[in-house]
């Protein structure tokens, strides 16, 4: 990286700049001599070329109409709606926090939403940039997507695992993928400069740790029978297992795996396999059968099963926040996770039985109402009050939130 050099001017005074060294021995312009060398202008800590760093999360919703192929990005800060290229036959919509992946039976279209965060542990950087279409990946539908700053890993419905250079995606193009060999089905999760690789199926129970190139595999000692579903948290990566969950973490270069058992026998149909949570949170939710929801507190290593009745979507903001469950009757219900009791109800969807998503951030939840062509913003700390409603000119069948 090179720094552009500029001469000091009279307007520049001795100051301390965040992320740069303290300038000492400042001179006035009259003290300077022709032999004085110009000072390098350092980029501030967290600088990203082409992006604006902000003081708060830049949340954006990606919305897609599964029938017409209309795609929009709704900026929750400005309330602007940006139309993008149509994507025919959208069957799924996934995100890794910045990019959205619109999947059909034989293609995956990638959108850069221009909103993301970088978590350094003790502080966080938020960014916003231009929204743009990146390109289309041909092949089977992508069923898993996970990223770190260097690698984006995608797994397809036919069991292939593809690794993409993250920086090239950020540059605005779909790079050539490297295939991860020696795997079958399952998923790949980039984590702590390595890849966590699982294999699906009743006779598969191993989780491997590989280097970023996919080689040098090490199998973790703790197994995860019939692994299905994963979530990345601040305390590690959680995988769903037949008897509970497996938490994989890393400390001082060493990877360890810890089982978090259900503590009771759970039928296959009632296992947690589809995790939902707020990015960065250590509280996970997942449907359990037809009439209940699992809540996993990763910090306390504890499961809670709450009988909710039939649900179409679930989520929670994390510690201290309620469980949000959207019933198939179109009613949103908040539950106290400790008592398992319902605390608030709100009839939300205009059509019962409709599918929807619940996206959650630190203060609000978002629910797409496809039949009414709306997105509802919910203040879950104020008795499920509808804070804002966003009317749309298309049917928002699918929805994900980025900027997290």
């Amino acid at each position: 990286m090179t720094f552009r050099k500029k001469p000091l001017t009279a307007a520049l005074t001795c100051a301390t700049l965040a992320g740069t060294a303290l300038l000492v021995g400042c001179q006035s312009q009259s003290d300077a001599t022709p032999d004085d060398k110009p000072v390098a202008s350092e980029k501030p800590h967290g600088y990203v070329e082409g992006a604006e760093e902000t003081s708060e999360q830049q949340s954006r919703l990606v919305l897609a109409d599964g029938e017409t192929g209309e795609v929009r990005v709704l900026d929750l800060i400005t309330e602007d709606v940006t139309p993008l290229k149509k994507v025919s036959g959208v069957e799924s919509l996934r995100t890794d926090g910045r990019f959205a992946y619109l999947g059909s039976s034989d293609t995956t279209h990638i959108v850069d939403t221009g909103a993301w965060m970088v978590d350094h542990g003790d502080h966080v950087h938020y960014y916003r940039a231009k929204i743009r279409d990146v390109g289309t990946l041909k092949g089977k539908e992508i069923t898993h997507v996970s990223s770190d700053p260097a690698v984006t890993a995608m797994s397809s419905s036919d069991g292939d695992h593809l690794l993409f250079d993250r920086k090239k995606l950020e540059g605005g193009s779909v790079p050539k993928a490297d295939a991860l060999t020696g795997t079958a089905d399952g998923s790949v999760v980039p984590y702590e400069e390595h890849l966590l690789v699982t294999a699906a199926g009743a006779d598969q129970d191993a989780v491997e740790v590989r280097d970023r190139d996919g080689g040098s595999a090490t199998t973790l000692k703790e197994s995860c029978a019939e692994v299905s579903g994963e979530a990345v948290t601040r305390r590690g990566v959680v995988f769903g297992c037949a008897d509970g969950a497996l938490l994989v973490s890393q400390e001082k270069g060493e990877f360890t795996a810890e089982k978090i058992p259900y503590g009771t026998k759970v039928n296959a149909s009632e296992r947690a396999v589809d995790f939902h949570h707020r990015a960065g949170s250590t509280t996970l939710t997942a449907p359990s059968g037809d009439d209940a929801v699992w809540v996993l507190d990763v910090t306390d290593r504890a499961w809670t099963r709450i009988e909710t009745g039939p649900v179409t979507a679930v989520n929670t903001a994390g510690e201290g926040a309620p469980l949000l469950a959207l019933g198939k009757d179109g009613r949103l219900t908040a539950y106290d996770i400790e008592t398992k009791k319902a605390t608030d109800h709100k009839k939300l969807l205009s059509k019962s039985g409709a599918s929807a998503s619940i996206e959650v951030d630190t203060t609000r939840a978002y629910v797409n109402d496809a039949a009414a062509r709306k997105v509802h913003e919910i203040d879950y700390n104020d008795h499920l009050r509808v804070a804002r409603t966003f009317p749309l000119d298309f049917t928002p069948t699918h929805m994900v939130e980025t900027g997290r």
Side-chain angles (χ1 to χ4, degrees):
M1 182 180 296
T2 60
F3 299 101
R4 186 177 298 170
K5 295 183 178 181
K6 297 180 181 179
L8 293 175
T9 69
L12 180 62
T13 60
C14 192
T16 302
L17 301 179
T20 64
L22 178 66
L23 299 177
V24 295
C26 291
Q27 293 177 305
S28 69
Q29 190 175 22
S30 60
D31 294 329
T33 68
D35 294 331
D36 289 332
K37 294 182 179 180
V39 177
S41 176
E42 294 187 10
K43 299 253 182 16
H45 171 65
Y47 172 82
V48 175
E49 186 174 358
E52 174 191 355
E53 185 170 7
T54 68
S55 60
E56 61 180 348
Q57 181 174 303
Q58 300 298 298
S59 297
R60 290 172 175 171
L61 297 178
V62 183
L63 303 153
D65 187 329
E67 183 174 347
T68 68
E70 298 285 347
V71 181
R72 305 278 196 278
V73 177
L74 169 60
D75 191 315
L76 295 170
I77 304 297
T78 66
E79 301 188 7
D80 292 335
V81 178
T82 301
L84 294 173
K85 177 182 177 181
K86 282 189 176 183
V87 180
S88 62
V90 178
E91 298 175 1
S92 64
L93 179 56
R94 294 177 171 81
T95 184
D96 57 13
R98 172 176 176 173
F99 293 88
Y101 304 85
L102 299 103
S104 65
S105 59
D106 57 0
T107 64
T108 296
H109 186 72
I110 304 174
V111 170
D112 183 353
T113 69
W116 71 96
M117 61 169 280
V118 177
D119 188 349
H120 287 296
D122 59 343
H123 68 283
V124 176
H125 296 273
Y126 300 107
Y127 298 96
R128 63 183 293 122
K130 183 179 179 181
I131 300 167
R132 57 184 175 177
D133 288 292
V134 176
T136 300
L137 178 67
K138 295 183 178 180
K140 294 294 185 179
E141 179 186 1
I142 297 300
T143 56
H144 300 272
V145 178
S146 187
S147 301
D148 70 4
V151 176
T152 292
M154 302 185 198
S155 302
S156 68
S157 56
D158 59 2
D160 289 339
H161 302 295
L162 304 175
L163 304 179
F164 295 84
D165 186 319
R166 179 75 170 184
K167 295 301 181 184
K168 291 183 179 179
L169 277 177
E170 293 172 355
S173 64
V174 180
K176 182 179 179 181
D178 293 325
L180 188 65
T181 59
T183 63
D185 298 327
S187 61
V188 179
V189 180
Y191 176 66
E192 294 293 345
E193 301 183 6
H194 288 74
L195 303 175
L196 302 181
V197 183
T198 70
D203 58 344
Q204 305 289 338
D205 61 3
V207 177
E208 294 179 343
V209 179
R210 300 193 182 193
D211 60 32
R212 270 188 171 151
D213 294 328
S216 185
T218 300
T219 301
L220 295 172
K221 294 181 180 180
E222 187 69 59
S223 63
C224 182
E226 300 177 38
V227 59
S228 182
E230 67 280 333
V232 180
T233 77
R234 281 180 174 269
R235 295 189 179 273
V237 181
V238 174
F239 295 99
C241 313
D243 55 353
L246 188 71
L247 173 63
V248 180
S249 56
Q250 184 267 141
E251 185 175 357
K252 296 180 180 179
E254 182 178 355
F255 286 83
T256 59
E258 177 184 356
K259 183 61 66 67
I260 307 177
Y262 286 123
T264 185
K265 185 177 180 180
V266 175
N267 295 329
S269 62
E270 297 179 340
R271 296 172 188 166
V273 298
D274 186 17
F275 294 108
H276 300 271
H277 70 306
R278 177 179 60 80
S281 170
T282 56
T283 304
L284 310 182
T285 65
S288 175
D290 295 328
D291 57 2
V293 172
W294 283 112
V295 179
L296 173 59
D297 187 324
V298 178
T299 302
D300 291 342
R301 312 293 200 268
W303 291 94
T304 301
R305 190 173 188 267
I306 299 177
E307 297 182 358
T308 58
V311 298
T312 188
V314 297
N315 216 327
T316 184
E319 184 178 357
L323 166 68
L324 301 177
L326 183 64
K328 292 186 176 180
D329 59 359
R331 184 173 64 167
L332 182 67
T333 302
Y335 292 86
D336 183 300
I337 295 175
E338 290 189 6
T339 67
K340 303 183 183 181
K341 302 296 184 181
T343 58
D344 292 292
H345 303 277
K346 175 76 69 175
K347 177 63 177 178
L348 204 59
L349 297 191
S350 56
K351 182 180 179 181
S352 297
S355 62
S357 302
I358 302 175
E359 295 291 335
V360 180
D361 57 33
T362 54
T363 60
R364 296 289 191 267
Y366 299 91
V367 180
N368 55 317
D369 188 343
R373 292 189 163 192
K374 296 178 180 177
V375 171
H376 304 286
E377 180 184 72
I378 307 299
D379 185 347
Y380 52 78
N381 290 315
D382 188 16
H383 306 288
L384 302 182
R385 176 178 62 87
V386 178
R388 290 186 292 179
T389 298
F390 301 97
L392 303 166
D393 62 355
F394 71 108
T395 302
T397 313
H398 306 280
M399 179 182 75
V400 293
E401 183 180 1
T402 65
R404 307 182 294 172

